[in-house]
Amino acid sequence: MPTQLKYSTTLAKNTDLAIIVQADKVASVEDLQKEEIAYVQQQVEKEAKIISLNRYSHHLYIVLAPEAKTQNLAQEALRQAGYTLLKQLKANKTEALAILDKTGTNASLYLAEGLYLSNYEFHKYKTKGIKPSSLQTITIADSNINEQTVKELQHVLEAVTLTRDLVNEPHNNQSATQFSENLEEIGREAGFKTEVLDELKIQTLKMGGLLAVNQGSEEPPTFTIMEWQPENAKNKKPYVLVGKGVVYDTGGLSLKPTPQSMDYMKSDMAGAAAVAGVMYAIAKNKLPLHVIALIPATDNRPGGNAYAPGDVLTMHNGMTVEVLNTDAEGRLILADALSFAQKYNPELVIDMATLTGAAARAVGKEGLVAMSNAGDDVMNSLKKFGEQVHERIVEFPLWDEYKKHIESEIADIKNIGGAEAGAISAGKFLECFTNYPWVHFDIAGVAYLLGEDSYRGKQATGSGVRLIYNYLSSLAN
Ligand code: BES
Ligand code: MN
Ligand code: ZN
């Protein structure tokens, strides 16, 4: 059962409660008795951040409002406090928690977000020894936060959950076809349209990149189109999202060495999963915005008919590509989706992809790498939302000189660059298939974590969902 996020300003007396308050305002919290205030103040002296009071019928948790350099960082500290608080809730076997904010800054929303995201678990495949988290319900109890805001947040957090579930699903249970069925299921649930193009249709469309990557596979590719087109849409030209849906990346004939680099490559569809999460959130929240999402999906394997280094492909837009490394497959399937997107005359196209190890090496798990031709207004706005949700963006350039990195002797371009600037040569490659405002996100460093990182958890993080949802939501309002 996923965590429930609720809104209610009437609380039963014995409800477990978290109160967020500034350290110097503890004495003015009405709900506290004298001895409790003294105890809390004593703990504050000892630099405690969360102070637990056991009232026997229930627990009271005093969460000190974090001090930080900026409002965004203070909100991030609250999310992280949610992660710390959850450990105490689990220890106390708390099933339901209400949150009250005494700071007047809507702090409950951020604490709830951190709690909710930290409470995610993936134990679908555990047959024994599961100790599910006790926490099932989080109730925001502030009268100055409206119910609508909480509902919207609930849908976004559900979206992150479903993105994480898709990414954590092992490949032996998620072929391209199964993945597209999962996307259809999400569409039914959220109320957006889905259409799955099969191999024959993909051939008819001459998607040479997607077909080549699929050649070594036992399973057919899919191309899923999702669409949310409400009657009250504010935009004439649609926003188009594109997600890399490589359901498993062995590298193909340019095989990845195992164990180091192949073990977690079930996560190579994290861009596609994030796009699906965004579609879920915008449809559930009925954003007045016309949004289309495109998901090319296949696994990348060295099977009998596998495409090979040296091959020249003709892409959906007619360009030719010399393949010099079959492990640079993401850009090939995205290229076809990006040129397919041209037919929608889009306002803006945003792609998300676990595209390069180079992006991960450059900024680690602390940021998303972006490249764009869409101009400063779009990028500045995205960066602003990146700071707000703490999915921070590092912009890399698409300078003309990088075009040299992908020049081919025999075809229009080649699918790899040199030893340097690998994230950019991938971006530069994608740029060749766009003729509209476009932003590319390389999420290779953030999509899947091997160690636990606060409320992002370990394994799939759902990175990108909150960022793109908040950006699109700002365009709708
Ligand atoms: N899926 C990988 C990128 C990746 C690496 C994602 C590590 C997450 C973690 C991608 O398809 C890939 O293999 N990229 C190559 C490109 C190279 C061959 C030009 C890479 O980054 O090594
Ligand atoms: Mn690869
Ligand atoms: Zn890949």
Side-chain angles (χ1 to χ4, degrees):
M1 257 287 273
T3 318
Q4 297 295 304
L5 183 63
K6 290 190 177 153
Y7 177 80
S8 172
T9 50
T10 51
L11 298 176
K13 264 219 155 92
N14 58 354
T15 311
D16 288 302
L17 184 65
I19 296 177
I20 309 166
V21 61
Q22 279 125 321
D24 56 355
K25 300 269 168 60
V26 170
S28 58
V29 177
E30 318 84 76
D31 322 59
L32 291 184
Q33 289 137 23
K34 256 204 194 111
E35 315 81 75
E36 289 177 330
I37 292 175
Y39 174 71
V40 171
Q41 283 172 335
Q42 180 196 344
Q43 293 301 307
V44 170
E45 292 293 304
K46 292 186 190 155
E47 301 203 353
K49 303 280 184 264
I50 299 174
I51 299 113
S52 160
L53 300 169
N54 189 344
R55 285 181 167 176
Y56 303 102
S57 66
H58 65 286
H59 278 88
L60 196 59
Y61 301 91
I62 305 300
V63 178
L64 296 185
E67 285 176 29
K69 281 191 214 129
T70 65
Q71 192 190 350
N72 286 334
L73 291 175
Q75 291 169 353
E76 172 63 5
L78 280 162
R79 290 186 198 99
Q80 298 199 11
Y83 170 78
T84 311
L85 176 58
L86 179 64
K87 291 196 169 149
Q88 300 190 20
L89 300 180
K90 283 179 175 171
N92 293 333
K93 300 200 168 45
T94 305
E95 290 175 15
L97 180 80
I99 306 175
L100 259 181
D101 171 41
K102 302 283 182 188
T103 70
T105 61
N106 292 347
S108 306
L109 293 173
Y110 306 98
L111 186 70
E113 185 172 15
L115 270 171
Y116 188 111
L117 293 175
S118 303
N119 205 35
Y120 174 83
E121 341 187 270
F122 184 76
H123 34 51
K124 187 175 170 188
Y125 293 101
K126 286 265 188 202
T127 63
K128 47 178 179 277
I130 325 163
K131 291 194 206 84
S133 166
S134 55
L135 184 66
Q136 287 165 25
T137 312
I138 303 165
T139 304
I140 289 183
D142 303 303
S143 52
N144 59 333
I145 293 176
N146 71 48
E147 187 163 12
Q148 199 48 44
T149 307
V150 177
K151 249 300 52 79
E152 183 179 20
L153 179 61
Q154 161 89 20
H155 291 145
V156 174
L157 298 176
E158 283 168 6
V160 175
T161 301
L162 78 81
T163 298
R164 289 178 176 180
D165 280 346
L166 287 169
V167 175
N168 284 330
E169 189 63 48
H171 173 50
N172 66 339
N173 201 23
Q174 193 162 245
S175 63
T177 301
Q178 288 167 317
F179 184 46
S180 67
E181 286 164 2
N182 292 340
L183 299 177
E184 288 179 306
E185 177 62 37
I186 292 164
R188 273 192 295 275
E189 154 96 35
F192 62 79
K193 230 171 62 187
T194 52
E195 185 191 359
V196 181
L197 311 184
D198 64 9
E199 183 163 28
L200 197 65
K201 191 76 214 274
I202 293 166
Q203 284 163 353
T204 312
L205 288 166
K206 298 192 163 67
M207 293 189 167
L210 178 55
L211 290 166
V213 175
N214 182 250
Q215 264 172 220
S217 173
E218 301 282 321
E219 297 283 334
T222 58
F223 190 97
T224 303
I225 303 170
M226 302 179 256
E227 182 165 22
W228 170 249
Q229 185 171 28
E231 270 168 22
N232 59 350
K234 296 240 166 86
N235 53 329
K236 285 218 176 65
K237 298 158 82 181
Y239 290 91
V240 177
L241 307 175
V242 175
K244 172 177 172 181
V246 172
V247 289
Y248 195 75
D249 184 10
T250 69
L253 284 174
S254 313
L255 197 64
K256 287 180 186 296
T258 183
Q260 301 92 332
S261 53
M262 207 189 290
D263 295 5
Y264 307 103
M265 278 302 140
K266 68 173 185 183
S267 67
D268 212 16
M269 33 58 76
V275 164
V278 173
M279 292 302 286
Y280 175 93
I282 62 176
K284 277 285 198 177
N285 287 328
K286 301 201 171 7
L287 286 195
L289 215 60
H290 182 197
V291 184
I292 294 167
L294 308 175
I295 308 295
T298 178
D299 51 348
N300 180 26
R301 281 182 193 266
N305 195 34
Y307 79 134
D311 285 359
V312 175
L313 317 177
T314 302
M315 308 294 282
H316 172 258
N317 72 348
M319 278 182 75
T320 56
V321 174
E322 181 186 12
V323 175
L324 285 176
N325 190 321
T326 62
D327 198 11
E329 83 297 340
R331 65 198 73 183
L332 296 171
I333 74 169
L334 288 171
D336 282 341
L338 289 172
S339 60
F340 185 80
Q342 294 180 13
K343 74 170 196 166
Y344 297 109
N345 186 26
E347 181 70 35
L348 173 69
V349 176
I350 299 175
D351 80 67
M352 287 194 274
T354 47
L355 204 59
T356 65
R361 283 192 296 277
V363 296
K365 61 178 160 54
E366 356 291 320
L368 289 72
V369 169
M371 283 153 256
S372 167
N373 65 10
D376 287 347
D377 287 351
V378 169
M379 277 319 288
N380 288 338
S381 179
L382 277 164
K383 284 174 190 167
K384 183 187 85 182
F385 287 103
E387 303 283 335
Q388 282 182 17
V389 302
H390 210 71
E391 295 185 342
R392 291 165 301 179
I393 296 170
V394 181
E395 187 177 0
F396 282 10
L398 288 172
W399 296 324
D400 291 342
E401 286 80 355
Y402 291 113
K403 190 70 205 288
K404 278 211 162 42
H405 294 221
I406 54 167
E407 275 173 6
S408 161
E409 300 267 331
I410 64 162
D412 296 337
I413 49 175
K414 60 180 179 180
N415 81 329
I416 52 165
E420 287 152 3
I424 300 178
S425 45
K428 213 56 197 165
F429 182 94
L430 298 179
E431 189 188 33
C432 297
F433 300 87
T434 65
N435 67 352
Y436 41 65
W438 158 74
V439 184
H440 159 56
F441 283 104
D442 194 329
I443 59 171
V446 291
Y448 195 89
L449 305 179
L450 298 185
E452 186 161 88
D453 181 50
S454 185
Y455 64 87
R456 287 200 290 173
K458 54 173 180 258
Q459 300 152 0
T461 59
S463 287
V465 175
R466 293 182 302 125
L467 168 66
I468 303 300
Y469 174 79
N470 279 278
Y471 174 69
L472 290 176
S473 151
S474 77
L475 298 172
N477 295 309

